[in-house]
Amino acid sequence: MKCSLASILTAGIFAVTGAAATGGDAAGIIVARGTTGIFFESESPEFTLRPGSERPVSYTVHDRHGRILAEGEWPENGEGTLTLPKLGRGIYTITLKSGGNACSGAGTFGVVADVPERPENPDMYFALDTAQSWCAVGSKRNIRFPGNGFETVTEAAHRSGLAWVRDRMSWSDIENEPGAFRLCQYIPNGWLLGRRGIRVSNTYHDAPKFTKKHSKDLPDDLFATYRFARNAASKAKGCTEAWEFWNEEDAGFTVEGAWDYAANLKAASLGYRAGNPNAVILNGAFCVYPLRDYTDAVFNNDAAEYISAFNFHTYKPIREYPEVISGLRKFLAGHGVPELPIWLTEHGTQAPGPASTKSYYPGLKSYSPEQEMTVAEFIPKAQITMQSLGVARDFFFILSPYNEGVKDWGLLRKDYTARPGYFAFAAMVKELGNAKLLGKLDTPKGIRAFLYEQPDGTQTVAFWSESDLDLEPNEKIQVGSKELHKRTFTIAAKEGAFTVRDLFGTPSQAAASGGRLTLTSTRYPAYVGGLAGLVPSHPSPAPGRYAMKPTKNDRTVILRADLSEDFILGSGRNSVDLPGKSGRLTLQAYNFSDRPKSGTITVAGGHAEGLPESITIPAMGKVELPLLFTPHIPEKEFHGRMEFSGTFNGKPVSRLHIPVFLFGKSVASGKTMTLEAISDPKRWRNNSSGNMTAAYDEKEGAIRFDVEFPQHGDRWVYPEFILKPRESFRQARGVAFEIKTVPSMPKEAVFMAVMGREKEHGRAVFIRFPMPSAEWEERIISFDEFVPNPENIEMIRLGVNPKSDRQSYWVRNLRVFYR
């Protein structure tokens, strides 16, 4: 059945409004061909009704302003296929009535520009994190889409017109025992994308047990790291053309020191290059800004000699972007790589806040239409702004359906239908994906405009009005605000008509007169093309040059240390404490070349007893050297280093750099307060995703927390202790406490310093510490880097993220160290 359509206009705000829920949920009844509701302009949108829904039904098609475009009875009394004529770019809704009763909500769909089989610009800046190998795995609980969504997500990525996506894999799944290599869904997903000409950046942050003898997260066998990286890069060559070793290692996913991460990054880099010599090699994304000392320690291990682009994640508000990118550039310049390209492999927003509407999926909530529009507004504003600051590639987080606690991140909903943000991304790619950014134009206050040059020499301007999304921190953004911030401005243009495309690519016309083109901007970005002769007032910096840091070093020799219990890892994993005068370690020298290497190893920052005058490392082999290190740190100072370097076959090798911070010695020079009140269960406020109780355990002399979780959902328990005035942390350097857990080794353990008293939320510093076991162990937390103003701490949280549905843990002897 065909329908006639009214003409489509362009101004207004998209909203979904539903009548009382008497005829079912339209979003759950209507099924678009291809599931996602993403149609090309050359296609006629087609829909069916889900089996079992009430029939017959009448339908109404609306444009994004709520105007009726078509209406009628569903073909074949609801059993047939509804086929609409071809539509222009934009987003649309279908509402239903069944038996005279209106269904709640609406089905949504959209139209994007036709795209070629392969991207015209294979090095396009705009990109998406699909994470499809993890997030598109099927679930029987998803009654609307129980199967795997790999093909669906891949086709959605293709229809957006992009050239790059980011995916995930699991080392433990692929190689669960030495020598095994299973493709699982990970490599095939890469080829689903690769066959459409889409390139993949891939990451993993797990390692199988056989790679770890003493470590918990990172392998302590660098050959295992190398071999897996080489094999994965070889199997995925042609689709996966960028590799990230690990993920957010500065904040989590490792408990090992920065130098251990750097050693593994080096081995992985050599492996990736052996499997695919042309691949882009990135560090695992750092995600904390200002950058932590951990990141500095990684680069002091000469990590820049093993990567060809710098990888970072951010969810900060747009107003902070200039500071963040400037800070990253300053950091890279300080480590001798000022032109290293910056990739944002996760770039998203916290602006929508917690998901606010009930989802059909059990136990989850979904973004409201207003929250979805906040994301749609954010995407072009954020990606264009970052491009103007010199970022080389930007992956919006995330395409696949993904709920993380109260966040509903995906541009595809749980039923795999596309949200407005998807169509905003596709419109941006169509207008700017093949263009070169020249810079920013001078505009009246409150308007931002960016100038692009197209391959044919014409120019396009992307423009918008500033809103709270541009100007405010995330917590002050008014989601659902009806204020459009309409403003007008002019740019130079020849006489004639120009096409203006709105946020979703829907066209309108604007005429230039007297050499000026008048444009109306709103909070939602728009694009005008066909321009010529414009010059940016603020040219954009070049995005950098893909190359590892030039070096005379032999990259194939890598030094690593197994530290004994004489050393205590700092809470920031960026230094070690040495309670005694000396510490035992085993220095490992790896040779990743096909010929033996002979040479010497030297040490700085102290004396290493047991260091031989020379060693020979076999081809693809290693040498282990038991050493006793004594730091050279003046009596009244606390900071030093343990740094090994060497020369093999006449060439220097990269450093093994381990900062030394005598934290125990430093706190001994100050005072200590034991926080006795933690033993009182009345002082702890329940704060958990399960049912939590607190009690004093006389046998253990400790506060005990027990929690039981429902079968589905997040597992976390972080009871809150509100400080009284006499318990002030003013001038505190850190804390120490004893802890044990049953079951042992939970998924994560965190000490939180909270600057306020708001339950669960509020500004807090998260300091992860090594997983506790079933035996009493001490944990020491240093505030030096994490908490610059400890006097603002009003509350602490101390808990774990369990792996099981029941968890108990005990805490005692919490001491506060002061300067």
Side-chain angles (χ1 to χ4, degrees):
M1 175 179 175
K2 300 283 186 179
C3 310
S4 62
L5 299 177
S7 61
I8 300 171
L9 302 179
T10 58
I13 304 175
F14 173 70
V16 175
T17 57
T22 56
D25 176 12
I29 296 172
I30 300 170
V31 180
R33 175 171 53 82
T35 303
T36 57
I38 304 166
F39 297 99
F40 287 139
E41 286 182 288
S42 61
E43 296 175 332
S44 297
E46 294 180 355
F47 307 89
T48 56
L49 299 181
R50 197 176 297 276
S53 56
E54 189 176 343
R55 267 89 159 159
V57 296
S58 59
Y59 69 90
T60 305
V61 179
H62 304 79
D63 68 10
R64 66 177 289 230
H65 321 297
R67 291 184 293 231
I68 296 175
L69 300 180
E71 55 188 344
E73 297 299 317
W74 201 277
E76 301 176 30
N77 291 324
E79 301 297 329
T81 298
L82 174 65
T83 303
L84 301 176
K86 296 173 184 177
L87 294 169
R89 283 189 262 162
I91 56 177
Y92 305 90
T93 62
I94 305 177
T95 55
L96 300 177
K97 286 185 178 180
S98 177
N101 296 318
C103 296
S104 63
T108 64
F109 69 99
V111 177
V112 298
D114 290 3
V115 300
E117 290 185 8
R118 291 178 175 271
E120 296 176 26
N121 176 14
D123 292 318
M124 189 186 301
Y125 161 82
F126 305 107
L128 289 174
D129 183 346
T130 69
Q132 61 199 68
S133 292
W134 287 4
C135 296
V137 175
S139 170
K140 292 181 180 179
R141 299 178 67 215
N142 191 349
I143 57 174
R144 294 184 185 174
F145 201 112
N148 291 333
F150 304 143
E151 288 274 5
T152 302
V153 174
T154 298
E155 181 61 16
H158 166 64
R159 287 180 172 242
S160 75
L162 54 63
W164 279 87
V165 305
R166 183 183 191 234
D167 198 11
R168 312 289 196 282
M169 63 170 52
S170 167
W171 181 355
S172 298
D173 285 351
I174 294 173
E175 189 184 23
N176 58 358
E177 59 184 38
F181 197 96
R182 304 181 303 159
L183 299 182
C184 303
Q185 73 266 32
Y186 308 112
I187 303 299
N189 260 320
W191 283 109
L192 280 178
L193 294 154
R195 283 192 287 272
R196 291 169 169 85
I198 299 173
R199 300 181 181 186
V200 181
S201 182
N202 219 321
T203 188
Y204 49 90
H205 51 78
D206 69 319
K209 291 182 180 179
F210 74 82
T211 69
K212 298 173 283 191
K213 292 182 180 179
H214 308 295
S215 59
K216 177 187 177 295
D217 293 323
L218 289 167
D220 48 28
D221 179 358
L222 298 189
F223 284 131
T225 297
Y226 169 86
R227 285 191 297 266
F228 179 73
R230 180 194 62 198
N231 292 340
S234 176
K235 297 285 187 184
K237 183 179 178 181
C239 58
T240 300
E241 293 298 311
W243 289 96
E244 312 162 37
F245 181 73
W246 229 253
N247 182 61
E248 298 187 355
E249 57 279 351
D250 57 337
F253 301 116
T254 68
V255 296
E256 290 80 25
W259 44 93
D260 282 329
Y261 170 75
N264 272 279
L265 171 61
K266 295 173 187 180
S269 173
L270 295 176
Y272 297 139
R273 281 297 168 94
N276 182 357
N278 296 319
V280 177
I281 311 300
L282 304 104
N283 56 282
F286 300 112
C287 65
V288 179
Y289 189 84
L291 294 174
R292 287 182 171 167
D293 291 345
Y294 178 99
T295 308
D296 200 53
V298 169
F299 273 68
N300 282 335
N301 279 270
D302 296 322
E305 296 177 7
Y306 292 83
I307 61 175
S308 47
F310 181 79
N311 188 7
F312 193 71
H313 290 171
T314 186
Y315 294 81
K316 286 186 174 292
I318 292 173
R319 71 176 195 166
E320 296 183 25
Y321 290 177
E323 175 192 347
V324 170
I325 301 305
S326 174
L328 298 185
R329 280 282 167 224
K330 184 177 180 181
F331 171 84
L332 293 173
H335 285 279
V337 282
E339 295 183 355
L340 200 65
I342 295 173
W343 282 27
L344 303 177
T345 56
E346 281 186 26
H347 180 195
T349 179
Q350 304 277 2
S356 61
T357 63
K358 185 177 180 180
S359 172
Y360 75 89
Y361 195 101
L364 296 181
K365 286 191 174 182
S366 179
Y367 277 166
S368 68
E370 293 78 15
Q371 290 175 304
E372 291 184 345
M373 278 300 294
T374 298
V375 175
E377 176 187 353
F378 169 85
I379 288 173
K381 285 185 170 183
Q383 291 217 325
I384 292 170
T385 300
M386 283 297 193
Q387 190 181 23
S388 75
L389 295 169
V391 171
R393 185 152 293 126
D394 193 340
F395 297 75
F396 175 78
F397 183 86
I398 182 176
L399 175 59
S400 297
Y402 180 51
N403 288 71
E404 186 180 44
V406 297
K407 301 296 292 183
D408 183 15
W409 294 104
L411 293 184
L412 300 180
R413 305 180 183 98
K414 274 292 185 182
D415 62 2
Y416 285 79
T417 57
R419 288 183 157 129
Y422 172 88
F423 298 101
F425 179 85
M428 175 180 65
V429 169
K430 173 60 178 176
E431 301 305 318
L432 307 177
N434 296 323
K436 177 184 177 182
L437 176 60
L438 300 180
K440 191 175 181 181
L441 296 175
D442 266 338
T443 51
K445 185 177 180 180
I447 297 173
R448 299 184 185 182
F450 298 86
L451 179 65
Y452 287 79
E453 182 179 65
Q454 300 289 351
D456 65 0
T458 64
Q459 295 176 329
T460 298
V461 171
F463 63 94
W464 64 83
S465 294
E466 292 176 344
S467 68
D468 52 0
L469 200 61
D470 301 273
L471 304 173
E472 298 291 345
N474 289 327
E475 61 270 17
K476 291 188 177 181
I477 292 169
Q478 300 298 310
V479 175
S481 171
K482 298 291 191 293
E483 177 57 58
L484 287 176
H485 301 284
K486 280 190 176 181
R487 299 182 175 95
T488 60
F489 69 106
T490 65
I491 56 176
K494 61 183 181 181
E495 299 284 331
F498 292 83
T499 298
V500 179
R501 298 276 180 177
D502 71 4
L503 178 65
F504 303 113
T506 306
S508 63
Q509 297 298 307
S513 177
R516 305 298 295 180
L517 175 64
T518 300
L519 298 168
T520 300
S521 67
T522 72
R523 69 185 302 147
Y524 300 112
Y527 315 91
V528 58
L531 302 165
L534 298 175
V535 178
S537 54
H538 305 282
S540 293
R545 183 171 55 90
Y546 292 96
M548 294 180 179
K549 182 179 180 181
T551 181
K552 296 180 180 179
N553 288 352
D554 180 348
R555 290 190 177 98
T556 65
V557 175
I558 299 174
L559 304 179
R560 183 187 175 276
D562 261 336
L563 303 180
S564 74
E565 293 182 355
D566 296 342
F567 296 89
I568 298 175
L569 182 65
S571 54
R573 295 171 292 121
N574 60 315
S575 64
V576 293
D577 192 2
L578 192 57
K581 291 184 178 180
S582 304
R584 293 166 294 127
L585 71 141
T586 299
L587 181 66
Q588 299 171 338
Y590 283 81
N591 177 9
F592 288 92
S593 75
D594 59 2
R595 59 189 180 123
K597 298 288 178 72
S598 297
T600 59
I601 295 177
T602 57
V603 64
H607 173 71
E609 183 180 332
L611 198 61
E613 291 186 5
S614 64
I615 63 171
T616 297
I617 317 172
M620 290 303 295
K622 72 174 178 178
V623 172
E624 295 191 331
L625 304 173
L627 303 177
L628 183 69
F629 177 76
T630 304
H632 295 164
I633 301 176
E635 180 63 30
K636 294 185 179 181
E637 296 183 15
F638 310 116
H639 291 274
R641 63 182 171 137
M642 176 169 57
E643 184 175 287
F644 294 96
S645 55
T647 301
F648 286 85
N649 288 14
K651 296 185 69 174
V653 301
S654 63
R655 294 172 292 170
L656 167 60
H657 176 91
I658 303 177
V660 177
F661 173 35
L662 303 180
F663 181 70
K665 181 181 175 181
S666 71
V667 299
S669 63
K671 67 175 184 176
T672 301
M673 176 186 71
T674 300
L675 204 56
E676 304 281 0
I678 68 159
S679 297
D680 183 358
K682 295 180 181 179
R683 290 291 305 275
W684 291 91
R685 182 164 63 187
N686 283 12
N687 186 42
S688 172
S689 60
N691 296 317
M692 188 201 97
T693 60
Y696 180 69
D697 187 327
E698 292 188 6
K699 180 181 177 181
E700 299 289 350
I703 187 75
R704 170 176 175 158
F705 302 102
D706 297 283
V707 63
E708 185 171 349
F709 300 94
Q711 283 190 333
H712 303 291
D714 287 347
R715 301 188 190 101
W716 55 268
V717 50
Y718 287 96
E720 300 176 325
F721 185 93
I722 300 174
L723 299 172
K724 292 184 177 181
R726 66 177 181 274
E727 297 163 343
S728 170
F729 277 33
R730 179 179 293 276
Q731 293 192 336
R733 298 203 62 178
V735 300
F737 53 87
E738 294 174 77
I739 186 170
K740 74 172 186 175
T741 60
V742 176
S744 65
M745 305 302 286
K747 183 178 178 181
E748 190 169 37
V750 182
F751 177 91
M752 303 183 197
V754 187
M755 285 58 171
R757 302 187 175 198
E758 182 182 359
K759 184 175 181 179
E760 188 181 341
H761 302 292
R763 189 162 60 93
V765 176
F766 290 50
I767 306 175
R768 292 170 172 83
F769 57 86
M771 280 353 125
S773 70
E775 303 296 327
W776 281 109
E777 294 173 322
E778 185 176 59
R779 296 291 182 263
I780 300 175
I781 307 292
S782 171
F783 289 170
D784 279 9
E785 178 183 11
F786 297 98
V787 189
N789 303 110
E791 65 273 12
N792 295 331
I793 299 174
E794 297 184 61
M795 179 170 66
I796 62 173
R797 302 187 189 109
L798 178 54
V800 296
N801 291 71
K803 296 178 181 177
S804 58
D805 291 337
R806 293 186 178 183
Q807 181 76 54
S808 299
Y809 71 100
W810 294 256
V811 178
R812 70 185 183 191
N813 195 23
L814 193 152
R815 291 101 65 212
V816 185
F817 305 122
Y818 296 91
R819 298 183 186 279

